[in-house]
Amino acid sequence: MALPRAVRRTNPITIALAGLLSVGFIFFLLSPSSNAGAVSSAKRKIASAAAHPLSPPTAPFVKGDYGSEQKPPPVVHYHLNNVTTTTESIQNEETVLILTPLTRFYQGYWNNLLALSYPHSLIALGFITPKTREGNTATAALQAAIAQTQSGPEDKRFASITILRQDFDPPITSQDEAERHKMENQKARRSTMARARNSLLFTTIGPTTSWVLWLDADIVETLPTLIQDMSSHDKPVLVANCFQRYINEKGKKDIRPYDYNSWQDSQAAAEIAANMAPDDIILEGYRDMATYRTLMAMSADTTESRDQRAVMPLDGVGGTALLVKAEVHRDGAMFPPFAFYHLMETEGFAKMARRLGWGCWGLPNYFVYHYNE
């Protein structure tokens, strides 16, 4: 005979089963998933990860689990006198921040970056890309390359990588070489480039950064020892000579100078500046503005036996491969987006650095190579 409904409701076995199911359900809700455990384990492996979002940007920050309690910002003391910039940068474990304004992504640039023999654990990367269709394409390609590298062999991974998107519009829509180098586009273009460089620099430089290497996105070939070669000169501001490989009129492989922004000043340039309006700038490498400066690009020895360690003092520098001691930037030397002594961007930076008491130098016989469009 069936039991009354009231008896069924108070059956001890039913009550025990219901309690057991309730405990199991609560345990399921509160326990972390295996995937979350794997993520937490992976996070613990990043020994050098920053503890808080407000930590220096050149130290990678790993977000905590959703809903976890956020630790208060750390108070960290940095002794800048202990940040060295020496001729033995690897032995002294000096950190290098490589900064690249990037509008187009060239695989040759990334491959060359990976081939650098400086310990990648001492290298932080920073990029800034424009918010344009071309910039979006470049950013997507860059992120794909980063994902592959940072998940690959540990000796190829970089200490940290930062990507910024410009918060201002580019002055010209086309990034074709001919359009970029038109004289009438230079002031607006270089002003925007200076703003991009400053945004990138001020956002990424950390208190442990020893050197800042400005490397253009279209530099596709350097020696693997680029960083230690340049830092071994112990110069506050040092620029390599930018050349380009091409096929000459005889159908043979050849090289030619590309960047004319590294120079020693001239009396003719001083006279041009004296007759300019306050906001006008001098542009190098254009026939309509003959400055008769001594150009590092034209001072190069291209023979196989050239002395690659030869140096020359400079008044203006280009930014294709420019190594700067971080303390120069910390002293206030930036890239003026306005006419500064009738100079702008990297040339204006050299003027500002020299006004702050830092010397600028060039390597006329040490070549880096620009992409040939």
Side-chain angles (χ1 to χ4, degrees), residues 197-222:
R197 289 185 187 274
N198 290 334
S199 296
L200 184 56
L201 172 66
F202 298 152
T203 306
T204 57
I205 191 169
T208 62
T209 304
S210 292
W211 303 89
V212 178
L213 175 63
W214 293 95
L215 193 65
D216 274 4
D218 34 25
I219 296 301
V220 295
E221 181 186 345
T222 71

PDB file of all heavy atoms in Angstrom, residues 197-222:
ATOM      1  N   ARG A 197      56.165  59.771 -31.348  1.00  0.00           N
ATOM      2  CA  ARG A 197      57.371  59.349 -30.612  1.00  0.00           C
ATOM      3  C   ARG A 197      57.270  59.740 -29.141  1.00  0.00           C
ATOM      4  O   ARG A 197      57.603  58.945 -28.252  1.00  0.00           O
ATOM      5  CB  ARG A 197      58.621  59.973 -31.242  1.00  0.00           C
ATOM      6  CG  ARG A 197      59.010  59.402 -32.601  1.00  0.00           C
ATOM      7  CD  ARG A 197      60.330  60.004 -33.070  1.00  0.00           C
ATOM      8  NE  ARG A 197      60.667  59.614 -34.424  1.00  0.00           N
ATOM      9  CZ  ARG A 197      61.310  58.488 -34.762  1.00  0.00           C
ATOM     10  NH1 ARG A 197      61.664  57.633 -33.813  1.00  0.00           N
ATOM     11  NH2 ARG A 197      61.597  58.225 -36.019  1.00  0.00           N
ATOM     12  N   ASN A 198      56.814  60.952 -28.877  1.00  0.00           N
ATOM     13  CA  ASN A 198      56.705  61.397 -27.484  1.00  0.00           C
ATOM     14  C   ASN A 198      55.676  60.579 -26.714  1.00  0.00           C
ATOM     15  O   ASN A 198      55.907  60.190 -25.562  1.00  0.00           O
ATOM     16  CB  ASN A 198      56.339  62.882 -27.438  1.00  0.00           C
ATOM     17  CG  ASN A 198      57.468  63.785 -27.899  1.00  0.00           C
ATOM     18  OD1 ASN A 198      58.645  63.430 -27.804  1.00  0.00           O
ATOM     19  ND2 ASN A 198      57.114  64.949 -28.419  1.00  0.00           N
ATOM     20  N   SER A 199      54.531  60.312 -27.328  1.00  0.00           N
ATOM     21  CA  SER A 199      53.511  59.483 -26.671  1.00  0.00           C
ATOM     22  C   SER A 199      54.069  58.115 -26.328  1.00  0.00           C
ATOM     23  O   SER A 199      53.859  57.590 -25.222  1.00  0.00           O
ATOM     24  CB  SER A 199      52.290  59.335 -27.585  1.00  0.00           C
ATOM     25  OG  SER A 199      51.659  60.569 -27.806  1.00  0.00           O
ATOM     26  N   LEU A 200      54.784  57.533 -27.286  1.00  0.00           N
ATOM     27  CA  LEU A 200      55.355  56.204 -27.086  1.00  0.00           C
ATOM     28  C   LEU A 200      56.422  56.219 -25.998  1.00  0.00           C
ATOM     29  O   LEU A 200      56.445  55.347 -25.113  1.00  0.00           O
ATOM     30  CB  LEU A 200      55.943  55.704 -28.407  1.00  0.00           C
ATOM     31  CG  LEU A 200      56.520  54.287 -28.450  1.00  0.00           C
ATOM     32  CD1 LEU A 200      55.485  53.265 -28.004  1.00  0.00           C
ATOM     33  CD2 LEU A 200      57.019  53.971 -29.857  1.00  0.00           C
ATOM     34  N   LEU A 201      57.288  57.209 -26.037  1.00  0.00           N
ATOM     35  CA  LEU A 201      58.372  57.302 -25.059  1.00  0.00           C
ATOM     36  C   LEU A 201      57.851  57.503 -23.642  1.00  0.00           C
ATOM     37  O   LEU A 201      58.208  56.767 -22.716  1.00  0.00           O
ATOM     38  CB  LEU A 201      59.309  58.460 -25.434  1.00  0.00           C
ATOM     39  CG  LEU A 201      60.389  58.823 -24.421  1.00  0.00           C
ATOM     40  CD1 LEU A 201      61.406  57.692 -24.279  1.00  0.00           C
ATOM     41  CD2 LEU A 201      61.090  60.126 -24.807  1.00  0.00           C
ATOM     42  N   PHE A 202      56.987  58.501 -23.471  1.00  0.00           N
ATOM     43  CA  PHE A 202      56.525  58.853 -22.125  1.00  0.00           C
ATOM     44  C   PHE A 202      55.665  57.760 -21.507  1.00  0.00           C
ATOM     45  O   PHE A 202      55.558  57.655 -20.287  1.00  0.00           O
ATOM     46  CB  PHE A 202      55.747  60.169 -22.160  1.00  0.00           C
ATOM     47  CG  PHE A 202      56.554  61.343 -22.623  1.00  0.00           C
ATOM     48  CD1 PHE A 202      55.952  62.419 -23.261  1.00  0.00           C
ATOM     49  CD2 PHE A 202      57.927  61.378 -22.445  1.00  0.00           C
ATOM     50  CE1 PHE A 202      56.697  63.514 -23.690  1.00  0.00           C
ATOM     51  CE2 PHE A 202      58.686  62.460 -22.875  1.00  0.00           C
ATOM     52  CZ  PHE A 202      58.065  63.532 -23.499  1.00  0.00           C
ATOM     53  N   THR A 203      55.039  56.932 -22.339  1.00  0.00           N
ATOM     54  CA  THR A 203      54.176  55.870 -21.836  1.00  0.00           C
ATOM     55  C   THR A 203      54.953  54.616 -21.458  1.00  0.00           C
ATOM     56  O   THR A 203      54.549  53.881 -20.559  1.00  0.00           O
ATOM     57  CB  THR A 203      53.108  55.507 -22.890  1.00  0.00           C
ATOM     58  OG1 THR A 203      52.418  56.683 -23.284  1.00  0.00           O
ATOM     59  CG2 THR A 203      52.102  54.508 -22.344  1.00  0.00           C
ATOM     60  N   THR A 204      56.070  54.365 -22.107  1.00  0.00           N
ATOM     61  CA  THR A 204      56.741  53.074 -21.940  1.00  0.00           C
ATOM     62  C   THR A 204      58.047  53.106 -21.149  1.00  0.00           C
ATOM     63  O   THR A 204      58.454  52.081 -20.609  1.00  0.00           O
ATOM     64  CB  THR A 204      57.054  52.450 -23.316  1.00  0.00           C
ATOM     65  OG1 THR A 204      57.850  53.377 -24.082  1.00  0.00           O
ATOM     66  CG2 THR A 204      55.775  52.127 -24.070  1.00  0.00           C
ATOM     67  N   ILE A 205      58.723  54.229 -21.070  1.00  0.00           N
ATOM     68  CA  ILE A 205      60.012  54.250 -20.372  1.00  0.00           C
ATOM     69  C   ILE A 205      59.794  53.976 -18.884  1.00  0.00           C
ATOM     70  O   ILE A 205      58.871  54.515 -18.264  1.00  0.00           O
ATOM     71  CB  ILE A 205      60.761  55.581 -20.600  1.00  0.00           C
ATOM     72  CG1 ILE A 205      62.204  55.480 -20.084  1.00  0.00           C
ATOM     73  CG2 ILE A 205      60.022  56.745 -19.967  1.00  0.00           C
ATOM     74  CD1 ILE A 205      63.093  56.645 -20.499  1.00  0.00           C
ATOM     75  N   GLY A 206      60.592  53.092 -18.340  1.00  0.00           N
ATOM     76  CA  GLY A 206      60.466  52.714 -16.940  1.00  0.00           C
ATOM     77  C   GLY A 206      61.674  53.147 -16.128  1.00  0.00           C
ATOM     78  O   GLY A 206      62.710  53.545 -16.681  1.00  0.00           O
ATOM     79  N   PRO A 207      61.584  53.053 -14.809  1.00  0.00           N
ATOM     80  CA  PRO A 207      62.688  53.483 -13.949  1.00  0.00           C
ATOM     81  C   PRO A 207      63.907  52.585 -14.016  1.00  0.00           C
ATOM     82  O   PRO A 207      64.965  52.944 -13.502  1.00  0.00           O
ATOM     83  CB  PRO A 207      62.068  53.468 -12.545  1.00  0.00           C
ATOM     84  CG  PRO A 207      60.959  52.485 -12.642  1.00  0.00           C
ATOM     85  CD  PRO A 207      60.423  52.598 -14.032  1.00  0.00           C
ATOM     86  N   THR A 208      63.792  51.409 -14.631  1.00  0.00           N
ATOM     87  CA  THR A 208      64.950  50.517 -14.768  1.00  0.00           C
ATOM     88  C   THR A 208      65.509  50.509 -16.189  1.00  0.00           C
ATOM     89  O   THR A 208      66.459  49.781 -16.462  1.00  0.00           O
ATOM     90  CB  THR A 208      64.570  49.080 -14.376  1.00  0.00           C
ATOM     91  OG1 THR A 208      63.554  48.600 -15.255  1.00  0.00           O
ATOM     92  CG2 THR A 208      64.069  49.019 -12.939  1.00  0.00           C
ATOM     93  N   THR A 209      64.944  51.322 -17.082  1.00  0.00           N
ATOM     94  CA  THR A 209      65.416  51.369 -18.469  1.00  0.00           C
ATOM     95  C   THR A 209      66.783  52.038 -18.525  1.00  0.00           C
ATOM     96  O   THR A 209      66.956  53.153 -18.033  1.00  0.00           O
ATOM     97  CB  THR A 209      64.427  52.141 -19.357  1.00  0.00           C
ATOM     98  OG1 THR A 209      63.131  51.545 -19.255  1.00  0.00           O
ATOM     99  CG2 THR A 209      64.885  52.126 -20.812  1.00  0.00           C
ATOM    100  N   SER A 210      67.742  51.351 -19.159  1.00  0.00           N
ATOM    101  CA  SER A 210      69.080  51.921 -19.326  1.00  0.00           C
ATOM    102  C   SER A 210      69.239  52.616 -20.676  1.00  0.00           C
ATOM    103  O   SER A 210      69.778  53.717 -20.761  1.00  0.00           O
ATOM    104  CB  SER A 210      70.144  50.817 -19.205  1.00  0.00           C
ATOM    105  OG  SER A 210      70.213  50.309 -17.896  1.00  0.00           O
ATOM    106  N   TRP A 211      68.793  51.943 -21.728  1.00  0.00           N
ATOM    107  CA  TRP A 211      68.958  52.445 -23.094  1.00  0.00           C
ATOM    108  C   TRP A 211      67.606  52.464 -23.801  1.00  0.00           C
ATOM    109  O   TRP A 211      66.763  51.615 -23.555  1.00  0.00           O
ATOM    110  CB  TRP A 211      69.900  51.553 -23.894  1.00  0.00           C
ATOM    111  CG  TRP A 211      71.269  51.354 -23.322  1.00  0.00           C
ATOM    112  CD1 TRP A 211      71.671  50.383 -22.438  1.00  0.00           C
ATOM    113  CD2 TRP A 211      72.437  52.129 -23.603  1.00  0.00           C
ATOM    114  NE1 TRP A 211      73.010  50.513 -22.162  1.00  0.00           N
ATOM    115  CE2 TRP A 211      73.514  51.582 -22.861  1.00  0.00           C
ATOM    116  CE3 TRP A 211      72.689  53.241 -24.420  1.00  0.00           C
ATOM    117  CZ2 TRP A 211      74.814  52.096 -22.916  1.00  0.00           C
ATOM    118  CZ3 TRP A 211      73.972  53.762 -24.473  1.00  0.00           C
ATOM    119  CH2 TRP A 211      75.023  53.186 -23.721  1.00  0.00           C
ATOM    120  N   VAL A 212      67.448  53.430 -24.705  1.00  0.00           N
ATOM    121  CA  VAL A 212      66.283  53.462 -25.591  1.00  0.00           C
ATOM    122  C   VAL A 212      66.797  53.389 -27.021  1.00  0.00           C
ATOM    123  O   VAL A 212      67.573  54.240 -27.453  1.00  0.00           O
ATOM    124  CB  VAL A 212      65.445  54.740 -25.390  1.00  0.00           C
ATOM    125  CG1 VAL A 212      64.271  54.761 -26.370  1.00  0.00           C
ATOM    126  CG2 VAL A 212      64.949  54.846 -23.954  1.00  0.00           C
ATOM    127  N   LEU A 213      66.374  52.355 -27.743  1.00  0.00           N
ATOM    128  CA  LEU A 213      66.740  52.201 -29.146  1.00  0.00           C
ATOM    129  C   LEU A 213      65.529  52.525 -30.004  1.00  0.00           C
ATOM    130  O   LEU A 213      64.528  51.813 -29.978  1.00  0.00           O
ATOM    131  CB  LEU A 213      67.225  50.778 -29.438  1.00  0.00           C
ATOM    132  CG  LEU A 213      67.515  50.465 -30.916  1.00  0.00           C
ATOM    133  CD1 LEU A 213      68.661  51.333 -31.451  1.00  0.00           C
ATOM    134  CD2 LEU A 213      67.823  48.981 -31.112  1.00  0.00           C
ATOM    135  N   TRP A 214      65.626  53.626 -30.753  1.00  0.00           N
ATOM    136  CA  TRP A 214      64.587  53.970 -31.721  1.00  0.00           C
ATOM    137  C   TRP A 214      64.910  53.247 -33.013  1.00  0.00           C
ATOM    138  O   TRP A 214      65.964  53.460 -33.612  1.00  0.00           O
ATOM    139  CB  TRP A 214      64.542  55.477 -31.938  1.00  0.00           C
ATOM    140  CG  TRP A 214      64.073  56.219 -30.722  1.00  0.00           C
ATOM    141  CD1 TRP A 214      64.857  56.785 -29.748  1.00  0.00           C
ATOM    142  CD2 TRP A 214      62.724  56.462 -30.344  1.00  0.00           C
ATOM    143  NE1 TRP A 214      64.068  57.367 -28.793  1.00  0.00           N
ATOM    144  CE2 TRP A 214      62.756  57.191 -29.127  1.00  0.00           C
ATOM    145  CE3 TRP A 214      61.489  56.150 -30.919  1.00  0.00           C
ATOM    146  CZ2 TRP A 214      61.601  57.604 -28.470  1.00  0.00           C
ATOM    147  CZ3 TRP A 214      60.337  56.551 -30.270  1.00  0.00           C
ATOM    148  CH2 TRP A 214      60.388  57.275 -29.059  1.00  0.00           C
ATOM    149  N   LEU A 215      63.998  52.365 -33.431  1.00  0.00           N
ATOM    150  CA  LEU A 215      64.226  51.548 -34.618  1.00  0.00           C
ATOM    151  C   LEU A 215      63.007  51.661 -35.522  1.00  0.00           C
ATOM    152  O   LEU A 215      61.910  51.233 -35.156  1.00  0.00           O
ATOM    153  CB  LEU A 215      64.463  50.093 -34.215  1.00  0.00           C
ATOM    154  CG  LEU A 215      65.007  49.156 -35.285  1.00  0.00           C
ATOM    155  CD1 LEU A 215      66.417  49.559 -35.710  1.00  0.00           C
ATOM    156  CD2 LEU A 215      65.010  47.719 -34.779  1.00  0.00           C
ATOM    157  N   ASP A 216      63.203  52.231 -36.706  1.00  0.00           N
ATOM    158  CA  ASP A 216      62.075  52.422 -37.619  1.00  0.00           C
ATOM    159  C   ASP A 216      61.519  51.082 -38.090  1.00  0.00           C
ATOM    160  O   ASP A 216      62.253  50.099 -38.230  1.00  0.00           O
ATOM    161  CB  ASP A 216      62.502  53.261 -38.820  1.00  0.00           C
ATOM    162  CG  ASP A 216      62.398  54.755 -38.546  1.00  0.00           C
ATOM    163  OD1 ASP A 216      62.072  55.131 -37.409  1.00  0.00           O
ATOM    164  OD2 ASP A 216      62.655  55.548 -39.482  1.00  0.00           O
ATOM    165  N   ALA A 217      60.222  51.073 -38.395  1.00  0.00           N
ATOM    166  CA  ALA A 217      59.530  49.844 -38.780  1.00  0.00           C
ATOM    167  C   ALA A 217      59.962  49.328 -40.136  1.00  0.00           C
ATOM    168  O   ALA A 217      59.689  48.169 -40.469  1.00  0.00           O
ATOM    169  CB  ALA A 217      58.024  50.086 -38.787  1.00  0.00           C
ATOM    170  N   ASP A 218      60.627  50.162 -40.942  1.00  0.00           N
ATOM    171  CA  ASP A 218      61.086  49.717 -42.250  1.00  0.00           C
ATOM    172  C   ASP A 218      62.585  49.420 -42.288  1.00  0.00           C
ATOM    173  O   ASP A 218      63.176  49.325 -43.360  1.00  0.00           O
ATOM    174  CB  ASP A 218      60.703  50.723 -43.349  1.00  0.00           C
ATOM    175  CG  ASP A 218      60.715  52.164 -42.873  1.00  0.00           C
ATOM    176  OD1 ASP A 218      61.443  52.450 -41.910  1.00  0.00           O
ATOM    177  OD2 ASP A 218      59.988  52.979 -43.445  1.00  0.00           O
ATOM    178  N   ILE A 219      63.193  49.271 -41.114  1.00  0.00           N
ATOM    179  CA  ILE A 219      64.573  48.778 -41.041  1.00  0.00           C
ATOM    180  C   ILE A 219      64.503  47.254 -41.002  1.00  0.00           C
ATOM    181  O   ILE A 219      64.044  46.668 -40.019  1.00  0.00           O
ATOM    182  CB  ILE A 219      65.303  49.324 -39.793  1.00  0.00           C
ATOM    183  CG1 ILE A 219      65.420  50.844 -39.886  1.00  0.00           C
ATOM    184  CG2 ILE A 219      66.694  48.693 -39.666  1.00  0.00           C
ATOM    185  CD1 ILE A 219      66.177  51.352 -41.098  1.00  0.00           C
ATOM    186  N   VAL A 220      64.940  46.629 -42.079  1.00  0.00           N
ATOM    187  CA  VAL A 220      64.756  45.182 -42.226  1.00  0.00           C
ATOM    188  C   VAL A 220      66.063  44.403 -42.125  1.00  0.00           C
ATOM    189  O   VAL A 220      66.055  43.170 -42.174  1.00  0.00           O
ATOM    190  CB  VAL A 220      64.075  44.858 -43.577  1.00  0.00           C
ATOM    191  CG1 VAL A 220      62.664  45.413 -43.604  1.00  0.00           C
ATOM    192  CG2 VAL A 220      64.886  45.409 -44.753  1.00  0.00           C
ATOM    193  N   GLU A 221      67.170  45.110 -41.943  1.00  0.00           N
ATOM    194  CA  GLU A 221      68.444  44.393 -41.847  1.00  0.00           C
ATOM    195  C   GLU A 221      69.435  45.182 -41.002  1.00  0.00           C
ATOM    196  O   GLU A 221      69.736  46.346 -41.291  1.00  0.00           O
ATOM    197  CB  GLU A 221      69.038  44.154 -43.244  1.00  0.00           C
ATOM    198  CG  GLU A 221      70.344  43.391 -43.231  1.00  0.00           C
ATOM    199  CD  GLU A 221      70.981  43.289 -44.613  1.00  0.00           C
ATOM    200  OE1 GLU A 221      70.290  43.564 -45.633  1.00  0.00           O
ATOM    201  OE2 GLU A 221      72.185  42.947 -44.670  1.00  0.00           O
ATOM    202  N   THR A 222      69.913  44.544 -39.943  1.00  0.00           N
ATOM    203  CA  THR A 222      71.013  45.087 -39.140  1.00  0.00           C
ATOM    204  C   THR A 222      71.901  43.906 -38.759  1.00  0.00           C
ATOM    205  O   THR A 222      71.521  42.748 -38.943  1.00  0.00           O
ATOM    206  CB  THR A 222      70.499  45.756 -37.839  1.00  0.00           C
ATOM    207  OG1 THR A 222      70.025  44.741 -36.944  1.00  0.00           O
ATOM    208  CG2 THR A 222      69.375  46.748 -38.114  1.00  0.00           C
TER     209      THR A 222
END
